[in-house]
Amino acid sequence: MPVPVPQQRSVPAAETSHGDLTLLVIEDDPAGTTITVPELSAAAGTRVRIRTARNLTEAARLLTDDVDCILLDLALPLTGGGTGPGTPTADAGTSGTGTGTADSGSLPEPVSERAGELAALTHVLGIAPQHAVLALTAQDDTELAAEAVRVGAQDYLFRGELDARVLSRAIRYAVERKRADTAQHQLTESRLRAQENARLERGLLPTPLLDGSGLSFAARYRPGRSRALLGGDFYDVVRTPDGTVHAMIGDVCGHGPDEAALGVELRIAWRALTLAGLCGDELLSTLQQVLEHERQSEEIFATLCTVDIAPDGRRAGLCLAGHPAPLLARRGQPARLLPYQDGGPALGLLPRARWPRRQVELGGAWSLMMYTDGLIEGRVGTGGSERLGQDGMVAMVNSRLEQGLAGEELLEAAVTEVRELNGGELTDDVAVLLLGRDPERIRRWGGSAPRSHPASSVAGRPLGVQRPPL
């Protein structure tokens, strides 16, 4: 063999602190002058097991997962020179005739003299993308060695430097650099995927359509999943041409990406059905069909609360599908829960369920808070043995109303207090939205909501079409 495998002595465990490595040497010198790879023993810090290949075909056969590093002679001909049974064939990137003609389907066409000299390296990098590669070249060809590193080799060596200590150090350096490059590449890909997912999830958040309603709008949304923007909770608000404002909030059981995707599907379906003129039991029955077709298992269900506010803003129709009842606060009166005795089951539980629509009087000036159970299921008390519950939430909101909070400030204070009572981040998704009507402000704005102020700019100010903040 052109690169003889050295006879290595047994190395004690204490002397191999860096661990054994396997080196694949790819070299063939038809002139007969061979590379002498010295014994790599404990004196060099690492014992190296050596495999040799005379051509690229033989190298591909010896390239197994336990190979840590490849030492490639840049002078290696692509065809292997036709020196024996290891001569590459057509499927190894050559013509199979031993004439030195590379298969253009396997290797890129050289664009310069340097590219032609690095064709073997390019081939090895293609078949061994996860392995560290050392380029071996003549002592006086530093330009070619540097170009090999630019192409993708981890380091280069000159023939005259092949003593045990230099080669051992070069192998360890190449292996560690390859690991660092791979980790950095994976980290970069992970960041890009996270950024792309964040942009996608932001695009799936609702844009309330309330132009001309005169109602104020505020929302808070906190997914329970770490590093996520969307959870299984969903909400939406739209105004139909007849002047009715339709609001919805729901919760898909579970907290993973599948539940988040299903929540987005239900929200979009609700908006389409609402703009098509459906409401009440007919709308919820259709949504249940969507859920049954889109869910991954029959155990998946979703709770839902819908409110249809009349054009005059003084009354509304309420439908509950296994969801907590909204909270209504009238001017000068404490907040209270809307009636919930006539609610129906959650979507996806009963195949032929019905959801009665209850008429609710809102009054002239009011605030209506719709929320998911993540807001009321946080722990409170010593040791976190109790839930906040709806009664605790009502008391908490009333205390904030007495402080004069409204709109964005009210929601932010409520969510913050729930987290503090829980002793940390909530594990469940939380979605809260607040609709309000103030006749004096409606007269001041001439009966329509302004477009220029997002929900977060001024607390309680009517919202146009801007997206609510996270």
Side-chain angles (χ1 to χ4, degrees), residues 48-394:
V48 178
R49 299 184 179 92
I50 299 176
R51 299 177 185 173
T52 57
R54 292 176 297 175
N55 50 58
L56 298 177
T57 300
E58 190 174 348
R61 186 172 65 251
L62 297 175
L63 188 62
T64 54
D65 291 338
D66 61 333
V67 172
D68 299 287
C69 186
I70 300 171
L71 178 62
L72 171 67
D73 181 10
L74 295 184
L76 181 76
L78 280 176
T79 62
T83 57
T87 303
T89 56
D91 63 348
T94 68
S95 62
T97 61
T99 61
T101 304
D103 183 359
S104 60
S106 301
L107 293 173
E109 285 290 336
V111 295
S112 66
E113 183 179 350
R114 292 275 95 165
E117 292 177 292
L118 295 173
L121 174 62
T122 303
H123 183 82
V124 169
L125 293 174
I127 65 174
Q130 305 300 322
H131 292 75
V133 177
L134 285 170
L136 184 66
T137 186
Q139 183 76 33
D140 58 350
D141 204 345
T142 57
E143 182 181 345
L144 180 62
E147 183 65 22
V149 174
R150 285 193 289 269
V151 169
Q154 274 60 58
D155 202 354
Y156 62 86
L157 288 172
F158 297 126
R159 290 177 182 271
E161 294 181 343
L162 287 181
D163 61 73
R165 192 170 299 276
V166 170
L167 184 55
S168 176
R169 183 173 63 249
I171 293 172
R172 293 204 313 270
Y173 171 78
V175 170
E176 293 303 322
R177 181 176 177 181
K178 182 63 177 181
R179 289 173 180 169
D181 291 344
T182 301
Q184 182 62 39
H185 180 70
Q186 292 173 345
L187 178 61
T188 300
E189 286 189 338
S190 177
R191 287 174 177 172
L192 292 175
R193 284 195 299 268
Q195 293 172 1
E196 184 175 325
N197 290 340
R199 288 193 298 270
L200 175 62
E201 291 184 10
R202 286 192 188 97
L204 295 175
L205 290 172
T207 301
L209 303 179
L210 286 173
D211 286 345
S213 68
L215 300 182
S216 62
F217 174 87
R220 278 292 179 271
Y221 191 94
R222 292 179 181 271
R225 290 188 297 139
S226 176
R227 300 187 185 94
L229 296 178
L230 279 177
D233 292 0
F234 55 97
Y235 69 89
D236 205 351
V237 182
V238 298
R239 180 175 182 263
T240 48
D242 63 355
T244 303
V245 172
H246 305 263
M248 171 273 292
I249 193 166
D251 181 5
V252 177
C253 65
H255 313 290
D258 292 334
E259 289 76 13
L262 181 57
V264 171
E265 292 181 271
L266 292 176
R267 180 188 69 78
I268 295 174
W270 176 87
R271 174 175 285 202
L273 294 171
T274 298
L275 294 176
L278 276 67
C279 67
D281 182 77
E282 185 179 11
L283 187 149
L284 293 180
S285 298
T286 308
L287 276 182
Q288 175 159 279
Q289 295 180 38
V290 174
L291 171 66
E292 291 171 346
H293 284 89
E294 297 296 330
R295 63 185 177 183
Q296 293 193 344
S297 68
E298 294 184 357
E299 288 75 25
I300 299 296
F301 63 90
T303 65
L304 198 69
C305 170
T306 66
V307 175
D308 308 318
I309 303 172
D312 62 6
R314 302 185 65 88
R315 62 189 184 280
L318 171 66
C319 285
L320 295 175
H323 199 86
L327 189 66
L328 176 66
R330 296 191 179 98
R331 177 176 295 176
Q333 300 179 18
R336 62 177 180 83
L337 294 172
L338 291 181
Y340 52 85
Q341 291 82 3
D342 297 335
L347 303 181
L349 293 182
L350 300 177
R352 287 178 292 275
R354 289 292 177 262
W355 296 272
R357 185 172 181 271
R358 186 186 186 104
Q359 193 74 13
V360 177
E361 293 296 325
L362 300 177
W366 48 265
S367 293
L368 183 67
M369 190 175 84
M370 305 170 69
Y371 54 92
T372 57
D373 59 5
L375 187 68
I376 60 177
E377 290 188 349
R379 299 288 181 175
V380 296
T382 305
S385 58
E386 300 178 0
R387 301 280 188 182
L388 175 64
Q390 288 181 294
D391 293 339
M393 180 199 64
V394 172

